[in-house]
Amino acid sequence: MNKRSIRLNCDMGESFGTWVMGQDDKVMPHIDMANIACGFHASDPSVMSRTIELANAHNVAIGAHPSYPDLQGFGRRSMTIDPCQLTDLIIYQIGHLKLMPKQRHTGSIR
């Protein structure tokens, strides 16, 4: 009999400043990968940092959750953006997340 397994992935780190969104500390122990909000639709550098620390503590892989620059609309509003500008926005967000572990943490993006 073949044993099947699944990997759980969850969007995390969507709080902003003192505003708390979700229950990252309770969910993180039960997932395999966290998509960390990169600050354009939710999150901020401190939230991103804390989310990385939480993921590292639970051996959870992390990835970037980029978005349109739309904090007010939580990244859900349609925006007309030049393809080159959109590429720059995505590279910026992924780069920000990728550099954070190198600066403050021992973990790395997997």
Side-chain angles (χ1 to χ4, degrees):
M1 181 173 174
N2 289 338
K3 184 176 181 181
R4 292 186 182 204
S5 65
I6 60 170
R7 300 200 65 169
L8 295 178
N9 177 319
C10 187
D11 293 347
M12 302 291 250
E14 292 183 330
S15 297
F16 185 83
T18 59
W19 180 73
V20 177
M21 173 71 164
Q23 297 182 356
D24 293 359
D25 57 330
K26 292 179 182 170
V27 174
M28 194 72 77
H30 306 287
I31 65 172
D32 300 295
M33 182 173 183
N35 303 321
I36 299 177
C38 293
F40 278 37
H41 78 289
S43 196
D44 60 43
S46 295
V47 170
M48 290 173 71
S49 180
R50 286 193 306 271
T51 307
I52 291 167
E53 289 173 349
L54 187 60
N56 287 340
H58 294 284
N59 198 31
V60 170
I62 62 173
H65 181 184
S67 176
Y68 288 125
D70 182 28
L71 279 173
Q72 293 82 9
F74 202 62
R76 293 192 171 122
R77 295 185 291 190
S78 180
M79 299 179 130
T80 302
I81 298 178
D82 174 81
C84 290
Q85 182 184 12
L86 181 60
T87 298
D88 292 341
L89 291 170
I90 292 170
I91 290 170
Y92 178 89
Q93 291 174 79
I94 292 170
H96 183 183
L97 181 67
K98 188 171 183 173
L99 288 174
M100 290 191 79
K102 292 179 182 176
Q103 294 172 355
R104 292 187 56 183
H105 311 283
T106 58
S108 63
I109 295 178
R110 296 175 252 184

